[in-house]
Amino acid sequence: VLFGTFGRSGSGSGSGSGSGDVEFDGGNRRPVDIDANYRSRRYRDNDDAGMTSSSRGSYLDFEDEYNDDDSRAPRRRFKRSRLVLALTVTVAAIVAFLYNGFFGARPRDRDGASGSATGTASTAVPNPSGSDDEARIAAIKKRVRDSAMIIVGDIDCKTEGPPTPQCRAVRWLALQDPAKLDTDDEFLLQRYALAVFWYSTFGMAEEVEGTEQAEGHYWTEHDGWMTGAGICSWAGIICHHQPGTAVSANIRTYDGNNEVTHLRLPSNNIKGEIPSEVFHLLTEMRQLDLSENDISGDISGEIRRMEKLQYLYLYNNQLTGKFPSTIGSCIDLREIDMSDNHLTGTLPPDVGQLRSLSLWGMFDNQLTGSVPDEIGNLGLLEVLYLDNNKLAGTIPEGIFKLPKLYDFRINKNALTGTIPDVAGSTPMLELLYLDGNELTGFIPKSLSQHSRLASLRLFANKLSGPLPSALGNLKSLDHLSLEYNLLSSTIPPEWNGLTHLAELYVQGNQLTGVIPTQLGQLSDLKEFRAHNNNLSGPIPTEVGKLYRLEYLSVENNRLKGTLPSQIAELEKLSTLRIGGNVITGLVHDEICELTKVSLKEFSADCKGIRPDIICPCCTECI
C-alpha cells in the first residue's frame, strides 16, 4: 500500500529531487507522470539513496536474526519486535523525506541535484503542494492574461503530451523559482518571458536527456538562467541601469530584476522558435541578437511589438515566413540583419519609415517581388545587402541618391532594366555589387564620379556598349569585374589611372583592338583576365612591368606575335594562359625558369607535329 501510494504520487527520485515533469488533471488536481521512463530510471538508480547507515545496519541485523535457528526463538521474537519498530520508524522517515522532496522541490540541475539561487536551471514542471501554491499559480496566470498578450501556448497545463513552455514557465515562477517574486512584482512578466524562451529552446534537451545526443541540445552559455539570481545577471541579458545608481554610471549588468534592454546570445546552440512572449513582454528591448543559431519559425507578425528596438540580428538561422510587413512600427531601428535564413515574400514599403536605419542585411533568403522605392527615403543608410534572393524589377533610382551609402549589394537576383545614371549623389559609395542579374544598357559614366569606389562588380548581366574611359578616374578602385556581358569596343588606355587596381576581369565579352601598353602602369595588378574576346595585336612588352602579377589569361582571342621575354620578370606569376591565339616562336628559357619558382599552370598552342609555339615547359598544350 505504501509503495502503491508512492507510485501514484508521481515522485520520481529516491534522492528527494522530486522535480520530474508533471502534467495536472485540471478537475482532480492529480499529478500525472508525463516522463515515466526517465523518472523511473532515476528512481531505480537511486532506490536506496534515502536510507541512512543506521537504518541499513538495522535492516541487515534483522535479516541475520531471521536466519537464526529455532532454539533462539524467544530472543528472536523480542529482538524482531524491536527491529520491526525501528524499521517502521525508518520507513516513515523515508516517506516524509520523499514527500518533502517532491512537493517542496527546488530547481534541479541536469543530473537531478537540488538547485540554488546561483545554481543550474530547472527543467521540470513542479507539483503544487497546497492552496497557497494554487493561489500563487492562479495569480501569475492572471498577470499573464492581463498583459493584453495573445496567449499562444497553454498556460493551464491541460494540453495532452508534454507541457508547453508557457505551462512550465508559470509553474517554475510559482513553485520553483528561488527568487519567489511577489505576484504583483513589476518585473515578474520579464522573468516569465525569459522562462518561456528558455523552455522553448533549451528545453529541447529534455527530449534527449540521458542519451549521447543530449549535450548537443544545450545552450553554450546559460550562466544564471532559471536560478534565483536577478535576470539582469543572466548570460546575454542587459537591463536598464541599476536602480539606486546614477544613470551616468551605466551599470547594466547586476544581480537584480529590471526591464530587459538587450538579449544577446549569438552562436549559442539555440534551437527552436522564439516565443511570442519575447516580443510582447520585453517591450523595452533595444537589441535582439540571436544570430548564428538554429532558430526556426515565423516572426513576421511579432517584431512590431518591440517599438523601441534599435538593433535586430537574426542572421544565419532557419527562420521562415515573410519579412515583417509592419516593420515601420519600429521607427528607432538602426540595424537589421536577417540574412541567411529562408524568408519569403516581398520587401514592404513600410521600411521607408525607418529613417534611423544604417544597415539592412537580407542576403541569402528567398525574397521575391520588386525593390521598394521607399528605400530612397533612408537618408542614414550606409549598408544595404539584398543579394542572393529572387528579386525582380528595376533598381530604384533613389538608392543611388543615398548620401551615406557605402556598401550596396544586390547581386544574384533577377533584376532587369538599366543601372541608374545618377551623378554624384552617393559620394561615400565604396562597394557596388550588381552582378548576376539581367541588367541591360550601357555602363553609366556617372559611376566614375564615385571617387571612393573600391570594388565594382557588374559581371554576368546583359550590359552592352563601350567600356567607359572615365572609369580610369577611380583612383581607389581595387576590383573591377565586367566579365560575361555584351560589352564591345577596346580596353581604354585611360584605365592606366587605376593605380590601385589589383583585379581586372573583362573576359567573355566582345572586346576588340589591342591590349593597351598603358596597362603596364598598373603596378598593383595581380590578376588580368581578358580571354574569350576578339582582342588583336601582340602581347605588349610592358606586361613585364606588372611585378605583382599572379594570373594572366588572354586565351581565345586573335593575338599574334611572340611571347615577350619580359614576362620572365614576373616572379610571382602562377598562371599563364595564352592558347587559342596566333602566338608563335620559341618560349624563352628565362620564362621556363619561372616554372621552377612560381609558374604552376602554363598553357599554349604547342600541341601537334608543327605547333604554333614551341614550349618545352608548358604544363598544357592545346
Side-chain angles (χ1 to χ4, degrees), residues 512-540:
T512 58
V514 300
I515 299 175
T517 59
Q518 290 84 351
L519 291 189
Q521 301 174 29
L522 304 181
S523 58
D524 285 346
L525 196 63
K526 294 181 180 180
E527 293 193 23
F528 177 44
R529 306 190 187 203
H531 52 273
N532 297 340
N533 278 292
N534 294 312
L535 298 174
S536 58
I539 296 176

Side-chain angles (χ1 to χ4, degrees), residues 336-415:
I336 304 172
D337 197 343
M338 299 177 68
S339 304
D340 200 1
N341 280 287
H342 306 288
L343 301 176
T344 58
T346 60
L347 299 174
D350 250 17
V351 74
Q353 300 178 36
L354 306 179
R355 302 302 176 92
S356 298
L357 197 65
S358 63
L359 180 148
W360 189 18
M362 296 297 300
F363 68 86
D364 287 351
N365 279 290
Q366 301 172 26
L367 302 172
T368 56
S370 60
V371 181
D373 293 332
E374 288 77 4
I375 292 180
N377 298 331
L378 307 179
L380 298 180
L381 193 64
E382 299 176 358
V383 177
L384 179 57
Y385 295 152
L386 301 177
D387 45 304
N388 201 17
N389 281 285
K390 300 177 182 179
L391 299 172
T394 60
I395 302 174
E397 185 175 293
I399 292 179
F400 284 86
K401 296 180 180 180
L402 296 172
K404 294 183 177 293
L405 187 67
Y406 72 83
D407 191 350
F408 177 34
R409 309 186 191 197
I410 197 168
N411 49 309
K412 298 181 182 179
N413 280 287
L415 300 172

